Amino acid sequence: MIKKQREKSHKLLTHEAAMRRVPKSHPKYPILEQEHGKLSYGHKGEEALDYFLTYLPNDNYLILNSLRLEDPKGRYFQIDSLLLAPTHCIILDSKYMSGKLEFDESANQLLRHLPGSEDIEKIGDPLSQITRQRHQLSLWLEKNGFPSIPIASLIVLTHNNAALIRTTPSINKKVTFHTNLPNRLKEIDENISKGNIVLSNKDLQKLSKTLIKKHTPDHFRLLNNYNIAENELITGVICINCSTAPMLRKRGVWCCQRCSAYSKDAHLEAIRDYKLLIGETISNKELRSYLRLPSASVSSKYLISMGLKFEGSFKNRRYFL
Ligand SMILES: [Zn+2]
């Protein structure tokens, strides 16, 4: 049963917003585009995991996706999918990459052999990463008053065109293809389920609730990170049909000057971008300039229609997005 749905990370969401708001001619655009590609690729892999999780061998599993937790030493760790059962839990880590992949255990490296060349790309160290996650999760459980429970983990290769080369029995234990995931989970289930029941159903529900409560979404300050100034961003409402900015407001409706598409609430998308890239609060004046509105009263109308909470009076008033 899915207890927590998969969600896009704040880092991915901010990069999506940047793809709309940073001009293509900006010197940072190519790096942004590259990073955006990586992030959305990773997210796609996690989604591929979800499909095979619907074939779970054990209906008792509670599934929590996209968790980000803080261990007792203040270090954050992320789990793509966490499966909870009365006897054990399983951490799944998705790796979405195509090509010939090799887990080099002696060098602690994942290597990708590039097609048509001798070149090898080094892609981090997922084996150590997943060992670290297991350790951090057990610390977290202890700190939050839960009994110690066996934690298994699996690296799941989620790309249809991925192949494993030079594998060893030890690698095969730690890595699997998404298509084989239900079988591997069944194996883990059968091996560990002989063990003791550590968590009653009530405990499981409590654990799942606590995990969701303690989940802390990441917060990525994109403009700071890439050293991009606020005034370099594209302002105005972007056309939902042809991506041209700005749409113009005519008789209360947003109209595209290029393709004539119109929309009543296209400003909401623009305001979401503002929140992702610029800030969580906005003044009337800032909204007016950002949406390129003709007057303070129109700007005020939008702020009121969104029913936002605010603080400060009159000119200093700031609305919480
Ligand atoms: Zn348009």
Side-chain angles (χ1 to χ4, degrees), residues 44 46 86 99 111 145 167 198 227 236 275 277 301 306 308:
K44 234 175 128 180
E46 292 166 25
L111 305 173
T167 69
V198 184
N227 205 9
K275 186 182 171 189
L277 295 174
K301 228 175 103 182
M306 288 189 286
L308 301 173

Side-chain angles (χ1 to χ4, degrees), residues 18-20 22-34:
M19 287 293 94
R20 294 185 284 269
V22 175
K24 287 200 167 68
S25 57
H26 194 282
K28 297 281 166 62
Y29 190 88
I31 339 169
L32 273 166
E33 195 178 29
Q34 199 184 8

Side-chain angles (χ1 to χ4, degrees), residues 87-315:
T87 47
H88 63 287
C89 54
I90 306 176
I91 296 175
L92 299 179
D93 189 46
S94 141
K95 286 280 166 272
Y96 192 68
M97 46 193 70
S98 60
K100 288 180 186 162
L101 305 174
E102 177 188 354
F103 284 87
D104 182 345
E105 278 182 296
S106 56
N108 283 326
Q109 276 282 351
L110 169 57
L111 305 173
R112 181 165 169 243
H113 296 254
L114 298 175
S117 77
E118 297 285 295
D119 290 349
I120 294 176
E121 188 186 353
K122 288 182 182 173
I123 312 171
D125 180 12
L127 289 173
S128 305
Q129 185 198 326
I130 206 158
T131 307
R132 211 161 45 233
Q133 284 172 346
R134 275 206 312 270
H135 176 63
Q136 288 181 289
L137 180 62
S138 72
L139 292 176
W140 185 95
L141 288 166
E142 193 189 337
K143 194 196 167 195
N144 287 279
F146 291 97
S148 119
I149 184 166
I151 303 172
S153 60
L154 264 181
I155 292 171
V156 190
L157 303 177
T158 43
H159 199 290
N160 284 329
N161 294 321
L164 261 183
I165 59 168
R166 294 186 196 128
T167 69
T168 63
S170 125
I171 294 292
N172 287 334
K173 261 189 158 175
K174 299 169 187 164
V175 183
T176 189
F177 290 97
H178 60 333
T179 43
N180 195 38
L181 183 60
N183 291 333
R184 287 303 301 278
L185 292 176
K186 200 173 164 205
E187 274 172 36
I188 295 176
D189 212 35
E190 284 165 0
N191 279 332
I192 307 186
S193 290
K194 291 173 199 127
N196 297 326
I197 288 187
V198 184
L199 298 167
S200 66
N201 271 336
K202 207 177 141 195
D203 293 337
L204 272 178
Q205 297 296 341
K206 190 178 155 205
L207 172 55
S208 145
K209 260 189 200 157
T210 311
L211 283 162
I212 292 168
K213 207 174 111 194
K214 299 272 179 177
H215 163 66
T216 317
D218 59 332
H219 188 82
F220 187 72
R221 291 162 61 97
L222 185 133
L223 296 188
N224 262 7
N225 248 276
Y226 288 94
N227 205 9
I228 297 172
E230 210 178 297
N231 62 15
E232 293 178 286
L233 298 177
I234 296 166
T235 56
V237 172
I238 297 173
C239 173
I240 13 148
N241 187 44
C242 75
S243 304
T244 303
M247 290 179 102
L248 296 181
R249 200 173 161 275
K250 285 180 191 162
R251 291 190 208 95
V253 178
W254 296 102
C255 298
C256 177
Q257 306 168 76
R258 188 164 162 225
C259 77
S260 307
Y262 61 90
S263 157
K264 258 198 124 152
D265 54 12
H267 59 285
L268 294 176
E269 191 74 32
I271 291 170
R272 264 194 287 275
D273 286 349
Y274 186 97
K275 186 182 171 189
L276 284 165
L277 295 174
I278 301 174
E280 308 257 325
T281 65
I282 198 164
S283 68
N284 183 310
K285 197 177 160 198
E286 285 161 352
L287 183 71
R288 182 180 164 189
S289 124
Y290 175 71
L291 292 183
R292 306 203 200 178
L293 295 168
S295 71
S297 65
V298 179
S299 178
S300 176
K301 228 175 103 182
Y302 279 124
L303 286 165
I304 291 166
S305 75
M306 288 189 286
L308 301 173
K309 286 190 178 147
F310 55 82
E311 67 175 13
S313 58
F314 202 54
K315 277 206 161 166

